[in-house]
Amino acid sequence: MEAIDYKKLEQKFNITLIEREQPFFSVCAEELLNPDTMNLLLHTYGPLIKANDLTAPSTYFSGNLGMLALALQYSISIWNRSLDLSLSNITVQLYKDNEAGYIRFAFVLHNKSEEEAPTDAVERGIWLKQVLTQFYKLSARPIIESLSRVSAFDAGQLWGQLPTRFNYNMDLFGKELDAAAQECGADAAAIAADKARLIEDYGFLRGLEGSLFGRTKNPLDVKIRYIEDSRDPNKQVRMKNACCLYYKTGEGQYCYTCPRLKESDREQMRIKFRALEKV
């Protein structure tokens, strides 16, 4: 099994070993458990996305936290190795991505500590639960709960940002592996095994008990709802699992896939989008 590709981690998840230059904000993730530090982060981030209170930056940050979770899941399934995503090993940086033209979060790892999964299936299952428990109980959950306290926004809604990101990216990873299998020929069987492990490990994650997340139910174990594509009536797209509060930023409007959007308003958006397509 190959080692973790840190270049790919940076490309896919903005997890890096090198700090960004001139960030708006930079702090060890462990410090974000301090209400004053979390408050400072949200007050720094909020104006950059033209938010009118602390709830929108809290949902946006929790969505970005999903990139850490996805990086761990990808590493476990594709490279069969875990990352050290303990809060003390991560620096959170808020910076302007000049190429993309928008504000982003980067997660800087202080060290590249990795642990390879056992080869035995039963032992790997035990290892997998330990790795996921450590991340969600000791890293993700404390950050989510700190966000909730400081922003006075429901932790369930913050956790709700993760499934949308997970389901989109897991589907994307699967398509990437399918494409790679077609190109590689001789390695197609190994790539198919990677895809099978990706699906199985995601199922394992969704099967974890809710108490690890501080919830009665695992927040990643959700039913996907589909709606008509905004531009193609013959296609379906996923509805977001929870509102990201985009309407509380400078744009002041709901996303087409927002679960809070009335169907009548969604229909009006479809009409508008399709009219623009004809221009």
Side-chain angles (χ1 to χ4, degrees):
M1 184 64 62
E2 62 181 314
I4 290 176
D5 183 341
Y6 286 89
K7 184 176 181 180
K8 185 170 286 188
L9 277 184
E10 182 170 5
Q11 292 172 340
K12 285 184 172 294
F13 311 107
N14 220 21
I15 293 175
T16 178
L17 301 172
I18 302 173
E19 294 192 5
R20 297 291 187 256
E21 295 182 359
Q22 300 180 322
F24 295 107
F25 189 87
S26 182
V27 68
C28 178
E30 198 169 34
E31 291 299 314
L32 292 175
L33 304 187
N34 182 318
D36 291 337
T37 307
M38 180 64 81
N39 187 59
L40 181 58
L41 169 60
L42 296 181
H43 274 95
T44 302
Y45 187 32
L48 295 172
I49 58 173
K50 301 179 181 179
N52 55 31
D53 61 28
L54 295 185
T55 57
S58 72
T59 58
Y60 277 42
F61 182 56
S62 60
N64 277 275
L65 188 65
M67 299 305 284
L68 276 177
L70 275 164
L72 178 62
Q73 202 71 24
Y74 191 87
S75 299
I76 286 169
S77 299
I78 303 303
W79 297 309
N80 216 26
R81 295 169 180 266
S82 66
L83 286 164
D84 179 3
L85 296 182
S86 56
L87 296 181
S88 61
N89 193 44
I90 300 168
T91 288
V92 178
Q93 293 196 301
L94 180 64
Y95 72 103
K96 174 72 176 292
D97 186 327
N98 292 319
E99 290 187 10
Y102 54 83
I103 306 301
R104 300 186 69 183
F105 280 100
F107 299 96
V108 185
L109 300 185
H110 302 167
N111 66 70
K112 299 194 300 183
S113 178
E114 304 174 11
E115 183 180 351
E116 187 171 1
T119 55
D120 178 78
V122 174
E123 290 182 2
R124 186 180 187 276
I126 295 171
W127 171 84
L128 184 57
K129 184 166 185 179
Q130 290 174 338
V131 169
L132 294 174
T133 296
Q134 183 173 26
F135 173 71
Y136 285 98
K137 187 175 182 178
L138 301 179
S139 293
R141 177 180 169 183
I143 291 292
I144 291 286
E145 291 178 348
S146 179
L147 270 173
S148 179
R149 285 192 298 271
V150 173
S151 66
F153 194 58
D154 180 54
Q157 293 298 310
L158 297 176
W159 278 116
Q161 307 305 312
L162 272 66
T164 300
R165 194 174 290 258
F166 255 89
N167 290 322
Y168 171 81
N169 281 281
M170 295 299 286
D171 183 52
L172 180 64
F173 299 156
K175 290 177 180 178
E176 289 174 349
L177 289 170
D178 287 341
Q182 291 180 354
E183 293 175 4
C184 292
D187 294 330
I191 294 172
D194 287 346
K195 183 177 179 180
R197 189 166 55 245
L198 185 77
I199 294 170
E200 184 177 348
D201 289 347
Y202 186 34
F204 189 97
L205 170 62
R206 288 179 295 174
L208 293 176
E209 58 270 25
S211 60
L212 292 179
F213 307 84
R215 315 297 299 170
T216 56
K217 182 179 180 294
N218 184 328
L220 289 163
D221 185 23
V222 300
K223 181 179 180 180
I224 300 174
R225 293 180 289 171
Y226 290 90
I227 55 176
E228 186 179 314
D229 185 271
S230 62
R231 291 178 169 80
D232 187 344
N234 298 313
K235 293 182 179 179
Q236 297 278 297
V237 294
R238 297 181 190 87
M239 183 184 290
K240 287 186 176 181
N241 181 68
C243 178
C244 69
L245 304 186
Y246 177 66
Y247 74 94
K248 285 192 170 188
T249 66
E251 297 299 328
Q253 63 183 20
Y254 288 96
C255 304
Y256 175 75
T257 54
C258 181
R260 292 186 180 182
L261 192 65
K262 295 179 181 178
E263 287 307 312
S264 58
D265 293 333
R266 205 183 319 271
E267 174 61 22
Q268 290 302 310
M269 292 178 78
R270 278 197 291 268
I271 292 171
K272 179 180 178 181
F273 290 145
R274 291 172 188 176
L276 290 172
E277 288 284 306
K278 295 178 181 179
V279 175

